[in-house]
Amino acid sequence: MMSYSKVYEGWKADPEAFWMETAEAIDWVEKPSRALNDDNAPLYEWFTDAKVNGCYNAVDRHVEAGNGDRLAIIYDSPITGTQEKITFADLQTRVASLAGALAAKGIEKGDRVIIYMPMVPQALEAMLACARLGAVHSVVFGGFAAHELAVRIDDCKPKAIIAASCGIEPGRVVDYKPLYDGAIEQSKHKPEFCIIFQREEAVAELVEGRDVEWYAAQDGVAPADCVPVEGNHPAYVLYTSGTTGAPKGVVRPTAGHLVALNWTMKNIYNVDPGDVFWAASDVGWVVGHSYICYGPLIHGNTTVVFEGKPIGTPDAGTFWRLISEHNVRSFFTAPTAFRAIKREDPKGEFRKKYDLSCLRALYLAGERADPDTIVWAQDLLGVPVYDHWWQTETGWTIAGNPAGIEALPVKIGSPTVAMPGYDVQILDEGGNPVAVGELGAIAIKLPLPPATLPNLWNAEERFKKSYLSTFPGYYETGDAGMIDEDGYLYIMARTDDVINVAGHRLSTGAMEEVLASHPDVAECAVIGVADDLKGQLPLGFLCLTKGVNRPHADIVKECVALMRDQIGPVAAFKLAVVVDRLPKTRSGKILRAIMVKIADGQDFKMPATIDDPAILDEIREALATLGYPAS
Ligand code: COA
Ligand code: AMP
């Protein structure tokens, strides 16, 4: 029997052979002659000289292999009360037709297309239609506001936008039209056309000459064939939060993406082709790209597109209903979803109503999995709960439990061990490896494996500065943690200004830019405070411009509204307080980490460089008015 250590050591001894062999599982138009391309180190590429098509591997090849009748997508939308089952053969027809419509309107290989859609199968079809043509999609999460969409339009300059008329959140229909209209108005770059998928909950009025309805666009067009692309051709750009307000466009290379994701489906998620795999996330996030759309489809699994929430649609038993009804083998979600269920149904009464014998394991990622949640989930489901750690940048697991090779003992609090392809090390500030069990910055020795980002979209300098400059020869993950004597990794905290709210990665820097744009705000700071449900919540400190004597409550209210308008509801920004001053070092650096400690009720060491320690008492008092530290 294969063991994890054998596979990992095998990779380490000969990465080129490991990846060339792994690449055999992909259908190539032209096979790669080599795996790694280090001609431009420290920028690396994989399978550069191959020719391949992503959509062909995700859809057509399964039909050609005689599996056209297998289910590709199960759409289950408790929020609208609908379900739809789409076979691989149906999916091929639908995607080829949509790609035909895009091609007829001039979309070619390399053109960018922004996709702004909720959790409907058409979102996957739009992604795959782009992949079919070699067009580069960029999916934008529906919870972002028009401004965030505009920033992405100006950065990736799409020729087209594919959008739905609305998304549906519990208790409200989110009309997308004002969002994409607003974004197109705000952006300097203007897309040539939009394809709009109309939903009956809110039918959008089309802009003449710009918008075409989804089915009308496909009327009478010839279905499009798969366009072969080079191995390093970008499959997509996905924007993620960094330290500043400008999001980073993570580029996903086509060939590495196919090879690595396909490998993970058996080796990490332990599913065989034909099995049902479900990731309850959103297509707007990396989990949605890798494990709602591409990974399961490439591997010939059935993927579940779930439009709903863990609670309230209609109850805390929704997840169990879906698992049982659709025969889900492996289930992937964020710990926050389990915390929401646990809060609503602590005794797991809903779970008792369903036969979950089909389920083999639960996978958690996106944020730290707290031990209470893991233990609760294990007891409730009676299957192993595997935490795994990865990032938008990598597109797949850096550290996880290789259950399909060998299920390693779970150590609660650790996402287990590094996957083949990743040489994970813990470094001190000088870039030297620390001793076993000691905390440090988590870095990955270059090159990163296939599928990981080769660069940022149109921002090579930023790529080098953000990831490659702190520790030469390594990729800086932005996370801090340690490795124990058994090689198990522990992720403790971010080393930058990124926070994680309900599994959503957000930038406090971006939020500060929004607050600073309020006319009465002279200076501000946003921190992430601990939250029982969402992991972290953003909290803003506002210093007002001299002479402003309006009620503070009004200004706070306006700032909350401004954040919703500029970043979107997903920022979950509801906490802010006015203070006279912010704690700083003598050189003027705001001491955000100390404010986090005060808010979370944790001990801290007074920094020697603090300018005026008395300000901390003012911060303490201000936080107390918001109920922090929470008891
Ligand atoms: N479109 C529009 N608005 C959206 C949205 C979307 N796709 N997704 C979320 N929002 C809105 C919510 O309606 C909410 O608005 P409100 O302030 O009017 O209530 C706001 O954004 C914050 O959303 P969220 O942080 O998700 O909180 P919630 O209270 O709606 O739900 C959970 C809490 C835990 C149930 C929910 O966060 C959840 O299911 N999380 C799973 C996380 C996940 O899948 N992460 C992906 C990474 S793996
Ligand atoms: P994203 O790019 O949105 O997937 O967010 C990536 C970040 O989320 C990581 O850098 C971590 O800070 C955090 N994260 C993701 N998975 C885990 C995990 N299993 N444990 C702890 N933190 C995690």
Short mmCIF file of all heavy atoms in Angstrom, two decimals, residues 406-452:
data_model
loop_
_atom_site.label_atom_id
_atom_site.label_comp_id
_atom_site.label_asym_id
_atom_site.label_seq_id
_atom_site.Cartn_x
_atom_site.Cartn_y
_atom_site.Cartn_z
N GLU A 406 -3.42 7.82 2.25
CA GLU A 406 -3.32 7.22 3.57
C GLU A 406 -3.91 8.24 4.54
O GLU A 406 -3.42 9.37 4.59
CB GLU A 406 -1.83 7.01 3.89
CG GLU A 406 -1.57 6.55 5.29
CD GLU A 406 -0.08 6.68 5.68
OE1 GLU A 406 0.69 7.35 4.95
OE2 GLU A 406 0.27 6.14 6.73
N ALA A 407 -4.96 7.87 5.25
CA ALA A 407 -5.54 8.82 6.20
C ALA A 407 -4.61 8.90 7.41
O ALA A 407 -4.42 7.92 8.13
CB ALA A 407 -6.93 8.37 6.62
N LEU A 408 -4.00 10.05 7.61
CA LEU A 408 -3.08 10.22 8.74
C LEU A 408 -3.89 10.54 9.99
O LEU A 408 -5.00 11.09 9.90
CB LEU A 408 -2.10 11.35 8.45
CG LEU A 408 -1.16 11.11 7.27
CD1 LEU A 408 -0.30 12.34 7.01
CD2 LEU A 408 -0.28 9.89 7.52
N PRO A 409 -3.35 10.22 11.17
CA PRO A 409 -4.08 10.55 12.40
C PRO A 409 -4.36 12.06 12.45
O PRO A 409 -3.48 12.86 12.11
CB PRO A 409 -3.11 10.16 13.52
CG PRO A 409 -2.11 9.26 12.88
CD PRO A 409 -2.06 9.57 11.43
N VAL A 410 -5.58 12.41 12.85
CA VAL A 410 -5.93 13.84 12.93
C VAL A 410 -5.40 14.40 14.25
O VAL A 410 -5.56 13.79 15.30
CB VAL A 410 -7.47 14.00 12.88
CG1 VAL A 410 -7.89 15.42 13.23
CG2 VAL A 410 -8.01 13.60 11.51
N LYS A 411 -4.71 15.53 14.16
CA LYS A 411 -4.35 16.26 15.38
C LYS A 411 -5.19 17.52 15.35
O LYS A 411 -5.01 18.37 14.45
CB LYS A 411 -2.88 16.64 15.38
CG LYS A 411 -1.91 15.50 15.58
CD LYS A 411 -0.55 16.07 15.96
CE LYS A 411 0.53 15.02 15.84
NZ LYS A 411 1.83 15.52 16.32
N ILE A 412 -6.08 17.64 16.30
CA ILE A 412 -7.00 18.77 16.26
C ILE A 412 -6.23 20.08 16.44
O ILE A 412 -5.40 20.20 17.33
CB ILE A 412 -8.11 18.57 17.32
CG1 ILE A 412 -9.00 17.44 16.82
CG2 ILE A 412 -8.90 19.84 17.54
CD1 ILE A 412 -10.13 17.09 17.70
N GLY A 413 -6.49 21.02 15.53
CA GLY A 413 -5.76 22.29 15.55
C GLY A 413 -4.72 22.36 14.46
O GLY A 413 -4.15 23.41 14.20
N SER A 414 -4.49 21.22 13.79
CA SER A 414 -3.50 21.20 12.70
C SER A 414 -4.16 20.76 11.40
O SER A 414 -4.89 19.76 11.39
CB SER A 414 -2.37 20.23 13.03
OG SER A 414 -1.63 19.95 11.86
N PRO A 415 -3.89 21.46 10.30
CA PRO A 415 -4.39 20.97 9.00
C PRO A 415 -3.56 19.81 8.45
O PRO A 415 -3.65 19.48 7.28
CB PRO A 415 -4.32 22.21 8.11
CG PRO A 415 -3.25 23.06 8.69
CD PRO A 415 -3.24 22.77 10.19
N THR A 416 -2.77 19.19 9.29
CA THR A 416 -1.95 18.00 8.99
C THR A 416 -0.65 18.38 8.25
O THR A 416 0.03 19.26 8.73
CB THR A 416 -2.79 16.91 8.29
OG1 THR A 416 -4.09 16.88 8.92
CG2 THR A 416 -2.21 15.53 8.46
N VAL A 417 -0.38 17.76 7.13
CA VAL A 417 0.99 17.83 6.60
C VAL A 417 1.04 18.45 5.19
O VAL A 417 0.03 18.54 4.50
CB VAL A 417 1.60 16.42 6.53
CG1 VAL A 417 1.82 15.87 7.93
CG2 VAL A 417 0.71 15.48 5.72
N ALA A 418 2.25 18.83 4.79
CA ALA A 418 2.44 19.43 3.46
C ALA A 418 2.12 18.41 2.38
O ALA A 418 2.47 17.23 2.49
CB ALA A 418 3.86 19.92 3.31
N MET A 419 1.48 18.88 1.33
CA MET A 419 1.19 18.02 0.18
C MET A 419 2.42 17.95 -0.74
O MET A 419 3.24 18.88 -0.75
CB MET A 419 0.00 18.59 -0.60
CG MET A 419 -1.31 18.47 0.13
SD MET A 419 -1.80 16.76 0.41
CE MET A 419 -1.31 16.50 2.10
N PRO A 420 2.53 16.88 -1.53
CA PRO A 420 3.62 16.83 -2.51
C PRO A 420 3.58 18.11 -3.34
O PRO A 420 2.50 18.58 -3.70
CB PRO A 420 3.28 15.62 -3.37
CG PRO A 420 2.36 14.80 -2.55
CD PRO A 420 1.67 15.70 -1.60
N GLY A 421 4.73 18.67 -3.62
CA GLY A 421 4.78 19.93 -4.37
C GLY A 421 5.13 21.10 -3.48
O GLY A 421 5.62 22.11 -3.95
N TYR A 422 4.85 20.94 -2.19
CA TYR A 422 5.08 22.05 -1.25
C TYR A 422 6.15 21.68 -0.23
O TYR A 422 5.98 20.75 0.55
CB TYR A 422 3.80 22.39 -0.50
CG TYR A 422 2.69 22.94 -1.36
CD1 TYR A 422 1.66 22.10 -1.81
CD2 TYR A 422 2.65 24.29 -1.69
CE1 TYR A 422 0.62 22.61 -2.59
CE2 TYR A 422 1.61 24.80 -2.47
CZ TYR A 422 0.60 23.96 -2.91
OH TYR A 422 -0.42 24.45 -3.66
N ASP A 423 7.24 22.46 -0.24
CA ASP A 423 8.27 22.33 0.79
C ASP A 423 8.04 23.49 1.77
O ASP A 423 8.48 24.61 1.54
CB ASP A 423 9.65 22.41 0.12
CG ASP A 423 10.79 22.28 1.12
OD1 ASP A 423 10.51 22.27 2.34
OD2 ASP A 423 11.95 22.22 0.68
N VAL A 424 7.27 23.22 2.81
CA VAL A 424 6.83 24.27 3.74
C VAL A 424 7.85 24.42 4.86
O VAL A 424 8.27 23.43 5.46
CB VAL A 424 5.45 23.92 4.34
CG1 VAL A 424 4.98 25.01 5.28
CG2 VAL A 424 4.42 23.72 3.23
N GLN A 425 8.25 25.65 5.11
CA GLN A 425 9.23 25.89 6.18
C GLN A 425 8.80 27.06 7.05
O GLN A 425 8.08 27.95 6.59
CB GLN A 425 10.59 26.19 5.56
CG GLN A 425 11.06 25.04 4.68
CD GLN A 425 12.53 25.11 4.35
OE1 GLN A 425 13.27 25.89 4.93
NE2 GLN A 425 12.93 24.29 3.41
N ILE A 426 9.24 27.04 8.29
CA ILE A 426 8.95 28.13 9.21
C ILE A 426 10.23 28.95 9.38
O ILE A 426 11.27 28.41 9.74
CB ILE A 426 8.51 27.59 10.60
CG1 ILE A 426 7.43 26.51 10.45
CG2 ILE A 426 8.04 28.73 11.51
CD1 ILE A 426 6.09 26.98 9.92
N LEU A 427 10.12 30.24 9.07
CA LEU A 427 11.33 31.08 9.07
C LEU A 427 11.23 32.19 10.11
O LEU A 427 10.14 32.68 10.43
CB LEU A 427 11.50 31.73 7.69
CG LEU A 427 11.55 30.77 6.48
CD1 LEU A 427 11.70 31.56 5.18
CD2 LEU A 427 12.68 29.76 6.63
N ASP A 428 12.39 32.60 10.62
CA ASP A 428 12.41 33.76 11.52
C ASP A 428 12.52 35.03 10.68
O ASP A 428 12.56 34.97 9.44
CB ASP A 428 13.53 33.63 12.56
CG ASP A 428 14.92 33.68 11.93
OD1 ASP A 428 15.04 34.13 10.75
OD2 ASP A 428 15.89 33.28 12.59
N GLU A 429 12.59 36.18 11.35
CA GLU A 429 12.58 37.44 10.60
C GLU A 429 13.74 37.56 9.62
O GLU A 429 13.66 38.23 8.60
CB GLU A 429 12.59 38.62 11.57
CG GLU A 429 11.21 38.86 12.12
CD GLU A 429 11.17 39.99 13.12
OE1 GLU A 429 12.18 40.69 13.30
OE2 GLU A 429 10.09 40.16 13.72
N GLY A 430 14.86 36.88 9.95
CA GLY A 430 16.03 36.94 9.08
C GLY A 430 15.97 35.92 7.96
O GLY A 430 16.90 35.80 7.16
N GLY A 431 14.89 35.14 7.90
CA GLY A 431 14.76 34.14 6.83
C GLY A 431 15.42 32.82 7.15
O GLY A 431 15.58 31.98 6.27
N ASN A 432 15.77 32.60 8.43
CA ASN A 432 16.39 31.32 8.79
C ASN A 432 15.35 30.37 9.37
O ASN A 432 14.47 30.81 10.13
CB ASN A 432 17.48 31.54 9.85
CG ASN A 432 18.49 32.56 9.36
OD1 ASN A 432 19.09 32.40 8.30
ND2 ASN A 432 18.64 33.64 10.12
N PRO A 433 15.45 29.08 9.04
CA PRO A 433 14.49 28.12 9.60
C PRO A 433 14.56 28.11 11.13
O PRO A 433 15.64 28.19 11.70
CB PRO A 433 14.97 26.78 9.04
CG PRO A 433 15.79 27.13 7.84
CD PRO A 433 16.40 28.47 8.10
N VAL A 434 13.40 28.05 11.78
CA VAL A 434 13.37 28.02 13.25
C VAL A 434 13.34 26.56 13.70
O VAL A 434 13.15 25.65 12.89
CB VAL A 434 12.13 28.77 13.81
CG1 VAL A 434 12.11 30.22 13.36
CG2 VAL A 434 10.83 28.07 13.42
N ALA A 435 13.51 26.36 14.99
CA ALA A 435 13.51 25.00 15.53
C ALA A 435 12.09 24.43 15.51
O ALA A 435 11.11 25.18 15.47
CB ALA A 435 14.04 25.01 16.96
N VAL A 436 12.03 23.10 15.53
CA VAL A 436 10.74 22.40 15.58
C VAL A 436 9.90 22.95 16.74
O VAL A 436 10.41 23.16 17.83
CB VAL A 436 10.99 20.88 15.77
CG1 VAL A 436 9.72 20.16 16.20
CG2 VAL A 436 11.55 20.28 14.50
N GLY A 437 8.62 23.23 16.46
CA GLY A 437 7.72 23.69 17.53
C GLY A 437 7.78 25.18 17.78
O GLY A 437 7.01 25.70 18.58
N GLU A 438 8.68 25.88 17.08
CA GLU A 438 8.74 27.34 17.29
C GLU A 438 7.93 28.08 16.25
O GLU A 438 7.84 27.66 15.09
CB GLU A 438 10.20 27.80 17.21
CG GLU A 438 10.82 27.86 18.59
CD GLU A 438 12.24 28.38 18.53
OE1 GLU A 438 12.52 29.29 17.73
OE2 GLU A 438 13.06 27.84 19.29
N LEU A 439 7.38 29.20 16.68
CA LEU A 439 6.56 30.02 15.78
C LEU A 439 7.41 30.82 14.80
O LEU A 439 8.52 31.25 15.14
CB LEU A 439 5.79 31.03 16.61
CG LEU A 439 4.38 30.69 17.04
CD1 LEU A 439 3.81 31.83 17.85
CD2 LEU A 439 3.51 30.45 15.81
N GLY A 440 6.89 31.05 13.62
CA GLY A 440 7.59 31.89 12.65
C GLY A 440 6.69 32.15 11.45
O GLY A 440 5.51 31.77 11.45
N ALA A 441 7.26 32.79 10.45
CA ALA A 441 6.51 33.04 9.21
C ALA A 441 6.50 31.75 8.40
O ALA A 441 7.52 31.07 8.29
CB ALA A 441 7.18 34.15 8.42
N ILE A 442 5.34 31.43 7.83
CA ILE A 442 5.27 30.21 7.01
C ILE A 442 5.65 30.57 5.58
O ILE A 442 5.03 31.46 4.98
CB ILE A 442 3.88 29.56 7.04
CG1 ILE A 442 3.40 29.40 8.49
CG2 ILE A 442 3.91 28.22 6.34
CD1 ILE A 442 2.00 28.81 8.60
N ALA A 443 6.67 29.90 5.08
CA ALA A 443 7.14 30.17 3.72
C ALA A 443 7.23 28.85 2.97
O ALA A 443 7.33 27.78 3.58
CB ALA A 443 8.48 30.85 3.76
N ILE A 444 7.16 28.94 1.64
CA ILE A 444 7.25 27.73 0.82
C ILE A 444 8.43 27.89 -0.12
O ILE A 444 8.54 28.92 -0.82
CB ILE A 444 5.96 27.49 0.01
CG1 ILE A 444 4.76 27.41 0.97
CG2 ILE A 444 6.07 26.23 -0.83
CD1 ILE A 444 3.41 27.53 0.28
N LYS A 445 9.31 26.88 -0.11
CA LYS A 445 10.49 26.96 -0.94
C LYS A 445 10.07 26.94 -2.41
O LYS A 445 9.22 26.14 -2.82
CB LYS A 445 11.40 25.76 -0.63
CG LYS A 445 12.82 26.00 -0.95
CD LYS A 445 13.72 25.12 -0.08
CE LYS A 445 15.16 25.53 -0.20
NZ LYS A 445 15.68 25.67 -1.55
N LEU A 446 10.66 27.82 -3.19
CA LEU A 446 10.35 27.89 -4.63
C LEU A 446 11.01 26.72 -5.35
O LEU A 446 12.06 26.27 -4.91
CB LEU A 446 10.83 29.22 -5.20
CG LEU A 446 10.10 30.46 -4.67
CD1 LEU A 446 10.78 31.74 -5.18
CD2 LEU A 446 8.63 30.46 -5.07
N PRO A 447 10.46 26.26 -6.44
CA PRO A 447 9.22 26.72 -7.06
C PRO A 447 7.97 26.17 -6.36
O PRO A 447 8.01 25.07 -5.81
CB PRO A 447 9.32 26.14 -8.47
CG PRO A 447 10.10 24.88 -8.28
CD PRO A 447 11.08 25.16 -7.18
N LEU A 448 6.90 26.94 -6.45
CA LEU A 448 5.61 26.42 -6.03
C LEU A 448 5.16 25.38 -7.05
O LEU A 448 5.60 25.41 -8.19
CB LEU A 448 4.58 27.56 -5.97
CG LEU A 448 4.76 28.62 -4.90
CD1 LEU A 448 3.72 29.73 -5.08
CD2 LEU A 448 4.66 28.03 -3.51
N PRO A 449 4.26 24.48 -6.66
CA PRO A 449 3.83 23.42 -7.60
C PRO A 449 2.88 23.91 -8.69
O PRO A 449 2.43 25.07 -8.66
CB PRO A 449 3.14 22.42 -6.68
CG PRO A 449 2.66 23.22 -5.53
CD PRO A 449 3.67 24.32 -5.33
N PRO A 450 2.53 23.04 -9.63
CA PRO A 450 1.58 23.39 -10.68
C PRO A 450 0.26 23.91 -10.10
O PRO A 450 -0.14 23.51 -9.01
CB PRO A 450 1.34 22.06 -11.39
CG PRO A 450 2.59 21.28 -11.17
CD PRO A 450 3.08 21.67 -9.81
N ALA A 451 -0.39 24.79 -10.84
CA ALA A 451 -1.68 25.43 -10.52
C ALA A 451 -1.52 26.69 -9.70
O ALA A 451 -2.38 27.56 -9.71
CB ALA A 451 -2.67 24.51 -9.82
N THR A 452 -0.42 26.81 -8.96
CA THR A 452 -0.24 28.01 -8.13
C THR A 452 0.04 29.21 -9.03
O THR A 452 0.41 29.05 -10.20
CB THR A 452 0.92 27.81 -7.17
OG1 THR A 452 2.09 27.55 -7.95
CG2 THR A 452 0.67 26.65 -6.23
#
